[in-house]
Amino acid sequence: MASLKKYLGVIWILLGLYVGYDRITDSLAKIGSNSLEDRVFGWVVLLVLVPIVVGGLILFGKYALEGEYSERAKE
Amino acid sequence: MIGNRAKARQAIDKRTLFSVISASSVGTLIEWYDFYIFGSLAAILSSQFFPKDNPTAALLSTLATFAAGFIVRPFGALVFGRLGDLVGRKYTFLVTLVLMGGSTFAIGLVPGYATIGFWAPLLVLLLRLVQGLALGGEYGGAATYVAEYAPEGRRGYYTSFIQTTATLGLFVSLGVILLTREALGVDTFADWGWRVPFLLSILLVAVSILIRMRMAESPLFAKLKTEGKVSKNPLAESFGKKQNLKMVLLALFGATAGQGVIWYTGQFYALSFIQKACNVEFVQSNIIVAIALLVATPFFIVFGGWSDRIGRKPIMLLGMALGILTYRPIYDMMYSLTDLTQKQEITDARTIDRKLSSQPNGDRLTTTTTTHFYADGTTLKETERVIRGEATAKPAPAEVTKAVTLPTNNLLLMILLVFVQVLYVTMVYGPIAAFLVELFPTRIRYTSMSLPYHIGNGVFGGLTPFIATALVATATKANEAAPGTVDKPYLEGLWYPILVGGVCLVIGLLYVTNSTSERVEE
């Protein structure tokens, strides 16, 4: 289980990168839209959601790969 | 004698504990009430403060909705979390209560756009920002305060009272709005009656402040202060040290993100789906959600209490798993209950009512209301409004609104379907305060737990209605361009909570340790 938790770190990093790519392309399309709601929504996703998901998942994956969660998660 | 003394002490402790819970819960309930009335009255407020024909005012309107909903809340968590770990829990969440209550009351006093122009949307936006900041600081303080008073082994049970307040706040806000609307009439309510729910909050806040002023500081924080062990820089300690930061990330991706999407789907997206996709009439749709909320609310305490015995993890993750697995069939059933194409209309019973009236600018408004009756007791009221100007002017496009009223059996089934979703909310949300409190040490607890909570709920959860609506719109467009491209496009919005909940479920299963009652003294 410890090694599974560790190596799944790669998946979390890749997931972070994929979500980042997917949301950035979608947000840019929304920012270019004629609808005001779409534009604001695009900026919110780009500036708020993307940094949290990408940064958070990559860092979480890095810690998992380093074995930080391999022992007892609540220490 | 000693036995009696011990019993008396235990009784006093229990009394103190319930005073602490009452003071904290009433405050958080008011904060949620304040927060929800803006959302519930969005349509009226946008016409009062944010006229759609003015692009700048419309921009401020959109920002006001987004800003307080979730952008500002994590900042509030940082600002007030830090303050709570430096100064103390009691005074910090007293400040958040004053800020929240004051800004809500002030929204009720702001003159409309017609009176003060751009100042109206600008002031409302600023007050919404204050509301969001205050909400970001309130919850962490209340949960920490109660948990630090609660006895070992009963923390899940006692903190779950705080967890009921978000749902009760929504329930009370719906109740106050419906009662005021009924008492004043729809037109008066739209004119000035909407201010009443805002102004009323000041009374509740005053009572809550009086109760809170009498409370003492949390015993664990007071002990820390006496020993001089209070953190000098809670932000740096929470997020600058790997051993704390890794737990913040685990709390976010292994619990609060999934909890946030389950919460917003059950309590907010359900209402929006019933009103927009199913076209259920305004009062009936609110009654459906209000009854489901009321019946499900005790389960916050049930699941909070169970989490003391079997652990926080299995209950929270089971709630997430059930949501992921059953959302699509539940929403499909909700849709089918109102799907008029599957119902047989009694065409002879159809009634048409037409009214003509003059607009202030001299145009003529024709309102045609057609009521359709169906064999199962469902009625559909279709209202078409056409404004015609001068003989030379082009008639404006007709505006059509639909309102479906369900018969009793379908209504009960709809309530049951929303109740099941709120039950999932109680599973993921009931134990989470105890779970978060137990994850972090006392010296940085307020800061450390507030941020993942508000990112999970505010950002991941708060985006649910917007992302779900966008997914449905994209699927509907795809179907319009090429019919049959997407099967049941109205269900596409559920992919967002399903995917976020799914990732969170896997991370929670693998990385989160089950706990029943960790020590929280350190």
Side-chain angles (χ1 to χ4, degrees):
Chain A
M1 184 57 94
S3 48
L4 176 70
K5 284 188 203 174
K6 200 170 162 178
Y7 295 117
L8 270 176
V10 179
I11 300 290
W12 310 128
I13 293 172
L14 291 175
L15 186 66
L17 292 172
Y18 172 73
V19 173
Y21 164 75
D22 185 61
R23 288 299 92 198
I24 287 169
T25 48
D26 187 68
S27 307
L28 290 177
K30 283 205 164 57
I31 287 166
S33 145
N34 289 328
S35 151
L36 173 72
E37 290 230 343
D38 276 356
R39 286 205 303 274
V40 175
F41 184 55
W43 280 114
V44 167
V45 171
L46 192 68
L47 299 178
V48 180
L49 188 69
V50 168
I52 290 170
V53 175
V54 177
L57 274 175
I58 290 176
L59 199 57
F60 180 74
K62 179 179 170 279
Y63 285 161
L65 261 180
E66 287 170 357
E68 289 288 337
Y69 300 108
S70 296
E71 290 178 13
R72 195 166 173 273
K74 285 164 61 60
E75 278 175 344
Chain B
M1 187 71 175
I2 292 168
N4 283 347
R5 230 183 258 165
K7 267 184 195 165
R9 187 177 149 65
Q10 200 179 11
I12 292 165
D13 285 347
K14 212 162 191 179
R15 236 187 357 250
T16 311
L17 190 55
F18 273 103
S19 309
V20 164
I21 291 169
S22 310
S24 307
S25 303
V26 172
T28 42
L29 189 145
I30 292 164
E31 295 234 7
W32 284 115
Y33 165 82
D34 287 356
F35 190 70
Y36 290 141
I37 47 176
F38 191 91
S40 305
L41 296 174
I44 291 177
L45 295 177
S46 69
S47 65
Q48 292 280 342
F49 296 121
F50 312 103
K52 285 264 183 262
D53 51 2
N54 187 307
T56 316
L59 174 67
L60 293 176
S61 158
T62 316
L63 284 176
T65 311
F66 276 104
F70 49 91
I71 299 171
V72 183
R73 275 167 64 184
F75 291 103
L78 289 177
V79 172
F80 292 109
R82 180 176 179 275
L83 208 63
D85 282 328
L86 285 173
V87 181
R89 284 72 166 114
K90 184 193 157 182
Y91 289 106
T92 306
F93 75 3
L94 203 57
V95 172
T96 61
L97 184 65
V98 172
L99 284 177
M100 186 61 150
S103 49
T104 304
F105 181 70
I107 290 178
L109 294 175
V110 174
Y113 183 85
T115 315
I116 56 167
F118 277 110
W119 283 105
L122 202 63
L123 282 172
V124 173
L125 173 62
L126 288 174
L127 292 167
R128 284 290 284 165
L129 292 176
V130 177
Q131 276 192 326
L133 279 174
L135 193 67
E138 169 70 20
Y139 174 84
T144 305
Y145 192 58
V146 172
E148 289 179 351
Y149 263 104
E152 200 76 33
R154 299 288 283 154
R155 208 170 291 123
Y157 172 73
Y158 287 114
T159 54
S160 67
F161 285 89
I162 297 281
Q163 305 302 94
T164 63
T165 57
T167 305
L168 286 176
L170 176 59
F171 179 76
V172 175
S173 71
L174 291 178
V176 171
I177 289 166
L178 286 177
L179 281 176
T180 318
R181 199 167 174 263
E182 283 300 304
L184 298 175
V186 177
D187 292 337
T188 314
F189 186 79
D191 186 24
W192 60 266
W194 58 269
R195 292 182 186 272
V196 175
F198 285 93
L199 299 176
L200 269 182
S201 77
I202 202 73
L203 296 173
L204 304 169
V205 171
V207 172
S208 179
I209 288 171
L210 284 176
I211 299 172
R212 281 193 177 182
M213 292 280 274
R214 291 210 300 264
M215 304 308 300
E217 182 51 87
S218 125
L220 297 188
F221 186 81
K223 184 171 171 269
L224 214 64
K225 211 166 184 178
T226 318
E227 292 167 355
K229 289 181 184 169
V230 172
S231 172
K232 288 191 174 60
N233 192 343
L235 284 178
E237 230 180 288
S238 293
F239 311 114
K241 285 188 179 174
K242 197 194 237 182
Q243 69 264 34
N244 288 321
L245 182 60
K246 73 175 187 183
M247 301 318 288
V248 170
L249 290 170
L250 183 65
L252 175 62
F253 293 114
T256 59
Q259 173 256 303
V261 294
I262 297 283
W263 187 23
Y264 270 79
T265 304
Q267 289 195 192
F268 302 100
Y269 187 60
L271 179 62
S272 149
F273 187 84
I274 291 170
Q275 287 178 339
K276 289 177 187 160
C278 303
N279 293 314
V280 175
E281 188 264 332
F282 177 82
V283 174
Q284 199 178 51
S285 59
N286 278 293
I287 286 173
I288 290 167
V289 175
I291 294 175
L293 289 176
L294 194 66
V295 180
T297 297
F299 287 92
F300 283 107
I301 297 160
V302 171
F303 290 119
W306 277 3
S307 76
D308 286 326
R309 272 175 271 161
I310 64 168
R312 326 285 179 215
K313 178 177 164 176
I315 297 174
M316 292 193 301
L317 296 188
L318 182 64
M320 270 182 227
L322 287 172
I324 292 162
L325 292 172
T326 62
Y327 275 157
R328 281 182 70 92
I330 285 176
Y331 277 80
D332 203 15
M333 209 180 285
M334 284 163 71
Y335 188 81
S336 69
L337 285 176
T338 56
D339 187 2
L340 300 173
T341 60
Q342 307 295 320
K343 296 177 194 276
Q344 196 188 349
E345 187 185 350
I346 308 165
T347 43
D348 295 345
R350 192 184 295 172
T351 60
I352 299 173
D353 179 44
R354 186 165 289 134
K355 275 181 193 157
L356 280 168
S357 58
S358 295
Q359 296 289 90
N361 62 358
D363 286 352
R364 291 184 312 279
L365 167 69
T366 312
T367 309
T368 311
T369 308
T370 312
T371 311
H372 306 260
F373 296 88
Y374 294 83
D376 69 345
T378 304
T379 58
L380 164 69
K381 205 174 254 186
E382 253 179 326
T383 308
E384 188 189 62
R385 289 159 55 90
V386 183
I387 296 175
R388 287 199 170 79
E390 298 300 320
T392 50
K394 260 189 177 177
E399 184 189 301
V400 182
T401 54
K402 290 180 180 180
V404 172
T405 305
L406 295 169
T408 311
N409 53 343
N410 283 8
L411 180 70
L412 291 173
L413 197 49
M414 190 68 103
I415 292 170
L416 179 71
L417 293 170
V418 179
F419 165 77
V420 170
Q421 294 178 62
V422 185
L423 203 62
Y424 300 160
V425 175
T426 64
M427 293 176 84
V428 294
Y429 197 57
I432 206 147
F435 169 79
L436 290 173
V437 163
E438 290 164 356
L439 219 48
F440 304 103
T442 308
R443 49 192 280 121
I444 54 164
R445 183 169 293 137
Y446 201 151
T447 312
S448 301
M449 74 166 279
S450 293
L451 192 70
Y453 174 82
H454 285 292
I455 290 179
N457 284 280
V459 178
F460 283 94
L463 280 172
T464 304
F466 300 101
I467 293 184
T469 308
L471 289 172
V472 172
T474 309
T476 310
K477 258 186 211 164
N479 260 15
E480 278 166 7
T485 313
V486 184
D487 183 35
K488 299 177 178 173
Y490 51 87
L491 296 181
E492 288 299 291
L494 296 167
W495 284 119
Y496 174 71
I498 289 173
L499 290 175
V500 174
V503 171
C504 196
L505 179 68
V506 173
I507 292 179
L509 268 174
L510 290 171
Y511 295 89
V512 171
T513 309
N514 191 26
S515 69
T516 49
S517 176
E518 299 280 320
R519 286 175 63 79
V520 295
E521 285 77 15
E522 276 87 47

